Amino acid sequence: FAYLGQRYNGLEYHANNNTRYPTIEEEMWKAFDKAKLIFPTPNPDLKEGEPNWEGCEYSKAGRTDKGVSAFGQVIGIRVRSNRPVDKQATEEGANNTNGATEQDNSERLSDSEPVPPRQGAFHPFKDEIPYPQILNRLLPPEIRVLAWCPSPPPDFSARFSCEERCYKYFFTQPAFTPTVGPESLLSAKGDHNRQREGWLNIEAMNEAAKKFEGSHDFRNFCKVDPSKQIDNFRRVINKAEIVEVPGKEKGVLGYLDLADFQQYQQSPPAKESNSHNHVIEPTVQQNPKTYAFKVRGSGFLWHQVRHMVAILFLIGQGLEAPSLINDLLNTSKHPEKPTYDMADPFPLVLEECNFPSSKMQWVHLGDYTGYEAGVRKAGGKGNGKHGLGGAVDELWRVWHRHKIDETLAGSLLDLVARSNREAIADNQPEGDEVERSKSVRNVESQKVYQGGDAPRLVGKYIPILQRPRMESVDTINAKYLKRKGLDPPERNRGAAE
């Protein structure tokens, strides 16, 4: 299933943790419970209506934090089924945890059609309850169930059976609106090729991202949770890269292609003339573009991706060199993590959770209607993908609302940025004044981009390796045990998340 996480307090529900926004698990549990698809073991310690997965063999592939989205999240859960129950198994109560018969369960299905009479052999897809369609009718539009697997392996765990997870962190180029004037020109790349503040050096970021690949100790790229007592921070990154997100529409922020805002200070390209002496304007690239840091690995530490992205942004801004990745991965030389802020959560997406394809056969929305021909489809809303009430229809509404917001805000921004450009040009310093403005910049507050809507002013920038260090992992873990009065656990723990 997929969800847009900006309005949710992460995936996991924690009892007695009152937050402004609900969690994804709360919404999922309410849908499963209302549809009477699960029958959890009663827990007297939980309040009425509180999520309870006990007895449901519940597992999840990846935990996402507050504001983080997912396009390929996977959970494992035991649900009610139309599948005929073996008579002997029924007598033994193997598939009837709470004493409800198959007929009882069928009658308890909320907001769905009666189970049709079966003719011939039971079809595992067509005769089964249309789970995605039913759940999507009960879930908020930002959460959509996309597929289900009817016959996972007997020992299936969404967490431990997952072979690879893929994350994407989206950002724009430029990262924030470029600052005009010579004081905004950063790294020198020749007399007429100095990068303007607000733009990112994508090539340098990609060079740095490649250094993450392989097996490394990522203790300097995560947040330590002492309650887990993890001392093994080695993880395997299969692939890490900066990729451009394809765009099919002309952007509305045309002002970014004007000379005052372009990425590098350079001599304006000469205008060409064709055989008819018509002046040909130099071609400019449509901006802004959208990129993503894409990373694949078997497992990740707490906040690992957001720490990796934060360092990449510093490199893209020219504040750090790509070699910083090598330094931070060298934990024998740098065993204690320097203090730095991780990137914002909202642009992060758990894109995929991959399982052995030979063992998992997925039934996607649109593959089957849920019931055979001749029986009215669930809710009369098609196959759950297209048509009224389908996932595509609901997600179009979500997208359209945000697209109109983007167009209106972008048009206004472009209008304001383009206005009175002559006054901007007249106020540009020249000669010695340019050199003075460069030196003034050294004492001004540095803008640092962290993935949010605007950069953060940090004062005079201090390089990462010159910053104060946090306590070592061993010290953090030992202090936690002492505070809790606990004995040290067995070592070499390092559960992936």
Side-chain angles (χ1 to χ4, degrees), residues 34-45:
K34 186 174 182 180
K36 299 298 184 292
L37 293 177
I38 58 173
F39 303 95
T41 303
N43 186 340
D45 296 331

Side-chain angles (χ1 to χ4, degrees), residues 371-405:
Y371 294 149
E372 288 283 12
V375 179
R376 188 159 61 92
K377 299 178 180 65
K381 296 185 179 182
N383 61 11
K385 184 176 181 179
H386 297 284
L388 181 62
V392 173
D393 182 67
E394 292 291 342
L395 290 175
W396 168 270
R397 301 183 190 189
V398 174
W399 170 83
H400 189 267
R401 181 173 66 249
H402 292 295
K403 184 62 179 179
I404 296 301
D405 288 343

Side-chain angles (χ1 to χ4, degrees), residues 39-258:
F39 303 95
T41 303
N43 186 340
D45 296 331
L46 297 178
K47 301 176 183 177
E48 183 178 358
E50 198 168 2
N52 176 20
W53 304 106
E54 293 187 27
C56 300
E57 302 181 32
Y58 177 75
S59 61
K60 52 205 167 196
R63 295 187 300 175
T64 54
D65 297 311
K66 178 181 177 181
V68 177
S69 301
F71 296 164
Q73 181 67 273
V74 175
I75 61 172
I77 187 170
R78 180 173 290 278
V79 293
R80 184 169 60 81
S81 171
N82 280 345
R83 185 185 302 273
V85 180
D86 178 75
K87 182 177 181 181
Q88 181 179 355
T90 304
E91 293 173 353
E92 294 174 355
N95 293 323
N96 189 14
T97 304
N98 292 319
T101 66
E102 182 189 0
Q103 181 178 0
D104 292 334
N105 290 345
S106 299
E107 292 175 351
R108 295 178 66 183
L109 177 61
S110 172
D111 298 330
S112 69
E113 298 299 318
V115 178
R118 301 186 183 92
Q119 297 180 358
F122 178 84
H123 193 284
F125 307 155
K126 297 179 181 179
D127 293 334
E128 190 52 275
I129 296 171
Y131 299 110
Q133 291 94 315
I134 290 174
L135 291 170
N136 284 340
R137 287 159 56 195
L138 301 173
L139 287 166
E142 299 90 354
I143 306 175
R144 296 289 92 181
V145 178
L146 306 179
W148 68 285
C149 176
S151 301
D155 58 348
F156 176 79
S157 166
R159 178 184 179 186
F160 296 109
S161 300
C162 183
E163 294 183 332
E164 185 185 63
R165 296 162 176 86
C166 177
Y167 285 90
K168 272 187 177 180
Y169 193 101
F170 292 88
F171 60 94
T172 60
Q173 170 72 325
F176 54 90
T177 187
T179 307
V180 298
E183 69 276 8
S184 68
L185 299 172
L186 304 174
S187 54
K189 294 188 176 182
D191 294 337
H192 301 288
N193 200 24
R194 299 177 60 235
Q195 180 168 287
R196 186 179 302 279
E197 185 177 60
W199 294 85
L200 299 171
N201 187 330
I202 301 299
E203 292 76 15
M205 293 178 66
N206 197 46
E207 176 188 346
K210 290 297 180 183
K211 298 178 183 294
F212 288 126
E213 295 180 350
S215 176
H216 303 286
D217 188 318
F218 284 94
R219 68 183 62 208
N220 289 327
F221 290 94
C222 71
K223 186 175 181 180
V224 177
D225 183 358
S227 67
K228 296 184 181 298
Q229 291 293 294
I230 295 175
D231 69 345
N232 178 11
F233 292 85
R234 185 163 290 276
R235 297 292 182 270
V236 177
I237 299 300
N238 299 327
K239 191 170 186 179
E241 59 182 340
I242 305 296
V243 297
E244 183 177 351
V245 179
K248 297 181 179 179
E249 299 179 7
K250 181 179 178 180
V252 296
L253 302 184
Y255 81 92
L256 293 174
D257 292 316
L258 301 175

Side-chain angles (χ1 to χ4, degrees), residues 363-438:
V363 182
H364 293 84
L365 276 175
D367 288 350
Y368 294 92
T369 60
Y371 294 149
E372 288 283 12
V375 179
R376 188 159 61 92
K377 299 178 180 65
K381 296 185 179 182
N383 61 11
K385 184 176 181 179
H386 297 284
L388 181 62
V392 173
D393 182 67
E394 292 291 342
L395 290 175
W396 168 270
R397 301 183 190 189
V398 174
W399 170 83
H400 189 267
R401 181 173 66 249
H402 292 295
K403 184 62 179 179
I404 296 301
D405 288 343
E406 174 202 349
T407 302
L408 293 176
S411 298
L412 178 58
L413 172 59
D414 194 53
L415 174 67
V416 174
R418 285 175 176 272
S419 64
N420 204 20
R421 288 189 60 238
E422 293 78 7
I424 296 178
D426 292 341
N427 290 328
Q428 299 302 311
E430 298 179 356
D432 293 340
E433 192 175 351
V434 172
E435 296 302 320
R436 287 196 298 272
S437 65
K438 294 178 185 176

Side-chain angles (χ1 to χ4, degrees), residues 221-460:
F221 290 94
C222 71
K223 186 175 181 180
V224 177
D225 183 358
S227 67
K228 296 184 181 298
Q229 291 293 294
I230 295 175
D231 69 345
N232 178 11
F233 292 85
R234 185 163 290 276
R235 297 292 182 270
V236 177
I237 299 300
N238 299 327
K239 191 170 186 179
E241 59 182 340
I242 305 296
V243 297
E244 183 177 351
V245 179
K248 297 181 179 179
E249 299 179 7
K250 181 179 178 180
V252 296
L253 302 184
Y255 81 92
L256 293 174
D257 292 316
L258 301 175
D260 296 337
F261 299 90
Q262 287 187 6
Q263 182 170 8
Y264 296 110
Q265 178 196 38
Q266 49 192 337
S267 300
K271 297 181 179 180
E272 302 176 1
S273 299
N274 59 17
S275 58
H276 300 285
N277 294 323
H278 292 157
V279 174
I280 303 174
E281 295 290 342
T283 302
V284 294
Q285 219 167 12
Q286 290 297 329
N287 286 300
K289 292 185 176 181
T290 302
Y291 288 85
F293 169 56
K294 185 176 182 180
V295 57
R296 292 181 176 273
S298 57
F300 294 85
L301 297 161
W302 191 22
H303 295 322
Q304 179 180 336
V305 178
R306 291 168 62 188
H307 279 81
M308 296 164 76
V309 172
I311 296 298
L312 291 178
F313 282 149
L314 295 177
I315 294 170
Q317 286 190 260
L319 300 173
E320 300 284 353
S323 60
L324 176 62
I325 304 296
N326 301 95
D327 292 326
L328 293 177
L329 290 176
N330 187 348
T331 54
S332 59
K333 184 179 179 180
H334 301 284
E336 299 167 345
K337 175 187 170 186
T339 56
Y340 65 92
D341 294 323
M342 59 183 172
D344 283 19
F346 299 119
L348 181 60
V349 175
L350 173 61
E351 187 179 50
E352 294 179 53
C353 293
N354 295 323
F355 297 83
S357 58
S358 61
K359 298 181 179 179
M360 304 291 290
Q361 184 178 9
W362 294 97
V363 182
H364 293 84
L365 276 175
D367 288 350
Y368 294 92
T369 60
Y371 294 149
E372 288 283 12
V375 179
R376 188 159 61 92
K377 299 178 180 65
K381 296 185 179 182
N383 61 11
K385 184 176 181 179
H386 297 284
L388 181 62
V392 173
D393 182 67
E394 292 291 342
L395 290 175
W396 168 270
R397 301 183 190 189
V398 174
W399 170 83
H400 189 267
R401 181 173 66 249
H402 292 295
K403 184 62 179 179
I404 296 301
D405 288 343
E406 174 202 349
T407 302
L408 293 176
S411 298
L412 178 58
L413 172 59
D414 194 53
L415 174 67
V416 174
R418 285 175 176 272
S419 64
N420 204 20
R421 288 189 60 238
E422 293 78 7
I424 296 178
D426 292 341
N427 290 328
Q428 299 302 311
E430 298 179 356
D432 293 340
E433 192 175 351
V434 172
E435 296 302 320
R436 287 196 298 272
S437 65
K438 294 178 185 176
S439 62
V440 170
R441 175 177 178 76
N442 293 329
V443 298
E444 291 181 348
S445 185
Q446 173 65 50
K447 293 179 181 180
V448 173
Y449 180 66
Q450 296 175 324
D453 295 331
R456 191 165 66 92
L457 297 176
V458 297
K460 183 175 177 59

